[in-house]
Amino acid sequence: MSATLSGATVVTSLDPVRVVQGDVRVEDGRITAVGGASVGGTSAGTDGRRDCSGCLVVPGNVCTHTHLYSALARGMPYALAPPTSFVEILQRVWWRLDRALDDEGVRASALVGGMEALLSGTTTLVDHHASPNAIDGSLDVIEESLRTLGVRSVLCYETSDRDGPASARAGVLENRRFLGRVRNESLSLARGMVGAHASFTLSDETLAACTEAAGEFGVGLHVHAAEDAADERDAVARCGHRVAARLARAGALHEHTLLAHGVHLDDEEIGLVRAARSSIAHNARSNMNNSIGRARLRALGERVSLGTDGIGSDMFEESRSAYFRLREDDGGTGGDWPLQRLAEGAHLAGRAFGEPLLGALQPGAPADLVVLDYAAPTPVHDGSFAGHWVFGLSARVVRDVMVAGEWVVIDRRLTHVDQQQLAAEAMGQAARLWRRLDEIGPHEFEPEGGR
Ligand SMILES: [Zn+2]
């Protein structure tokens, strides 16, 4: 398939910001030309031409930490005593929801979550999945759902000992099985990592099994790390080391590792993480929502990208919230900061796909892009784009979305599926899921060192 996006203002790079005027030419999944300069292999003609005059074309957003399995949790009833700590939030909310999921619930969650991602201009999801009563094959269900929609993804299963050793073994096996599939079938839109919940629900044996699997497949662990102080207390009580040191000693801290949150990492741990060149997914809204504290973003450095932790997939909103939260403490933070974090997210996805140009709109790059119908009230250029991003743009102006050269959203509608039907089916699945959830009590797992 080939396409020409004509007459747009094109943001070819977020870090550093580069803005040019002209056409974007796409052939066989890749960008072949940007700007007025040249056209790729074949003549553009009128076929596949999409008028983008008056629009901004930007790289597709990447969410580097999400939980599609929570897509049907929005507004769900809650009748237990209100949680008073992060661990209680897990015990009383998320570790009940994940146990209520079956394959149908996983499918509905992935479809509706993936739909919302595309409609908000997010083209890649780095997902962390848990469904302890439906582990085997769950990553296939998600992969198939996202493939149907046309979402790019990096998937893993959240291995944990909280539901017992058999469940932990099944988690490791599911990661291995899916990584084997990725290797053998060369899936075009999906890659894998080895998922692990968090240090405080992982035995030494399970952590070792995860690390071994990651090594065999040449990928990293995707794991919550130091999200709450309870994770650090547990690691110290369990093995006498803090979380990052425990991961490092297990061989789990390296350049392919993705740590979610990292809020409570101390100076020494930040030193370990940075020396290992591991990535951090910062989830500003989730951190605020769970009252867990503030990540030390300046200290954490360059390999910080942005995730939603399951609060939708709207990276306009996430990046803006992260920016304002950081500005509250550090007024010297520039508007380029959220753009750098989003660019880093694309680099992370690019490493997973072996596509170093992912996230740039330049010849040779995968054609993952978003057309914004944005009536800019002031000029848009290299120096002003960050201001437009943090003060003007939002998912509301997403008009069209392309992933790997295919239009997946046109005029705010999904192209591959009937989104009204999909939403109606999700509604039915949500009712079913909520009924099942009602019968599941708080999880009894407790970290060492207290809640
Ligand atoms: Zn998370």
Side-chain angles (χ1 to χ4, degrees):
M1 183 206 126
S2 64
T4 301
L5 291 71
S6 62
T9 300
V10 186
V11 180
T12 62
S13 159
L14 294 179
D15 182 23
V17 173
R18 291 268 301 138
V19 180
V20 303
Q21 303 294 325
D23 297 354
V24 179
R25 177 79 184 149
V26 175
E27 283 177 56
D28 298 328
R30 290 183 188 277
I31 292 167
T32 54
V34 180
S38 66
V39 172
T42 58
S43 150
T46 50
D47 290 343
R49 183 171 286 272
R50 178 103 179 120
D51 182 8
C52 295
S53 48
C55 294
L56 276 177
V57 176
V58 300
N61 284 326
V62 176
C63 175
T64 63
H65 181 71
T66 191
H67 301 283
L68 285 167
Y69 76 79
S70 70
L72 300 181
R74 197 175 300 169
M76 68 186 177
Y78 182 83
L80 306 176
T84 59
S85 68
F86 174 71
V87 172
E88 287 183 1
I89 293 172
L90 297 178
Q91 291 168 329
R92 296 179 195 182
V93 181
W94 303 116
W95 292 348
R96 290 171 58 227
L97 178 81
D98 64 10
R99 284 179 291 158
L101 285 164
D102 57 12
D103 282 353
E104 283 313 296
V106 171
R107 180 175 289 107
S109 302
L111 283 169
V112 81
M115 170 181 87
E116 289 198 343
L118 290 181
L119 292 173
S120 64
T122 297
T123 51
T124 300
L125 296 174
V126 182
D127 189 63
H128 200 261
H129 174 67
S131 52
N133 291 317
I135 297 176
D136 185 33
S138 58
L139 297 180
D140 288 350
V141 172
I142 298 171
E143 183 275 327
E144 189 189 298
S145 304
L146 297 181
R147 175 156 38 95
T148 303
L149 300 166
V151 183
R152 193 185 288 278
S153 65
V154 182
L155 306 179
C156 71
Y157 187 85
E158 178 187 291
T159 307
S160 173
D161 284 289
R162 67 177 179 267
D163 294 301
S167 178
R169 280 193 296 275
V172 175
L173 278 178
E174 177 62 4
N175 284 299
R176 282 182 167 275
R177 193 194 57 72
F178 186 70
L179 285 163
R181 221 192 119 205
V182 166
R183 185 158 68 186
N184 296 332
E185 296 179 26
S186 58
L187 302 170
S188 60
L189 289 182
R191 293 292 181 271
M193 296 182 77
V194 172
H197 171 246
S199 172
F200 75 94
T201 76
L202 292 168
S203 69
D204 287 342
E205 295 71 29
T206 302
L207 179 56
C210 288
T211 308
E212 192 184 324
E216 269 179 53
F217 287 93
V219 299
L221 249 55
H222 181 178
V223 59
H224 296 102
E227 179 174 3
D228 184 72
D231 197 19
E232 294 288 10
R233 284 195 298 271
D234 175 273
V236 171
R238 195 185 280 266
C239 69
H241 300 282
R242 289 174 68 88
V243 169
R246 185 179 182 219
L247 293 174
R249 293 164 74 90
L253 209 58
H254 51 71
E255 63 176 337
H256 301 304
T257 307
L258 173 57
L259 307 176
H261 300 279
V263 170
H264 292 271
L265 296 173
D266 70 11
D267 288 343
E268 200 174 319
E269 292 178 286
I270 289 174
L272 285 172
V273 170
R274 292 188 67 161
R277 295 187 52 71
S278 297
S279 297
I280 300 269
H282 173 54
N283 306 269
R285 291 181 300 163
S286 169
N287 292 351
M288 289 188 261
N289 188 47
N290 290 336
S291 303
I292 53 169
R294 299 194 188 187
R296 296 167 57 203
L297 294 162
R298 290 272 174 218
L300 287 167
E302 297 304 308
R303 299 264 275 202
V304 174
S305 56
L306 302 177
T308 60
D309 207 16
I311 307 179
S313 307
D314 179 348
M315 301 311 289
F316 291 95
E317 192 175 346
E318 188 66 47
S319 64
R320 201 190 322 256
S321 300
Y323 173 71
F324 289 133
R325 187 51 151 163
L326 182 55
R327 287 274 301 185
E328 191 178 17
D329 290 334
D330 182 355
T333 305
D336 51 354
W337 182 84
L339 299 177
Q340 290 162 352
R341 304 287 64 81
L342 290 166
E344 180 55 32
H347 292 155
L348 185 143
R351 288 192 288 273
F353 279 84
E355 293 280 5
L357 296 181
L358 194 73
L361 302 186
Q362 67 181 70
D368 288 17
L369 53 84
V370 179
V371 180
L372 304 175
D373 183 5
Y374 175 57
T378 59
V380 178
H381 51 67
D382 294 4
S384 71
F385 179 69
H388 286 276
W389 188 274
V390 295
F391 300 118
L393 292 169
S394 76
R396 204 163 39 87
V397 298
V398 171
R399 189 189 78 177
D400 313 322
V401 180
M402 178 180 273
V403 177
E406 280 218 34
W407 289 117
V408 290
V409 175
I410 287 278
D411 288 331
R412 301 185 169 88
R413 309 292 299 175
L414 298 178
T415 59
H416 293 353
V417 299
D418 179 336
Q419 69 194 56
Q420 241 142 4
Q421 189 188 339
L422 195 155
E425 283 166 9
M427 203 71 84
Q429 286 295 331
R432 210 178 124 256
L433 181 66
W434 292 5
R435 277 196 301 275
R436 290 160 62 98
L437 179 68
D438 210 30
E439 292 158 14
I440 299 174
H443 205 292
E444 291 177 352
F445 180 88
E446 294 284 351
E448 294 186 29
R451 292 179 193 175

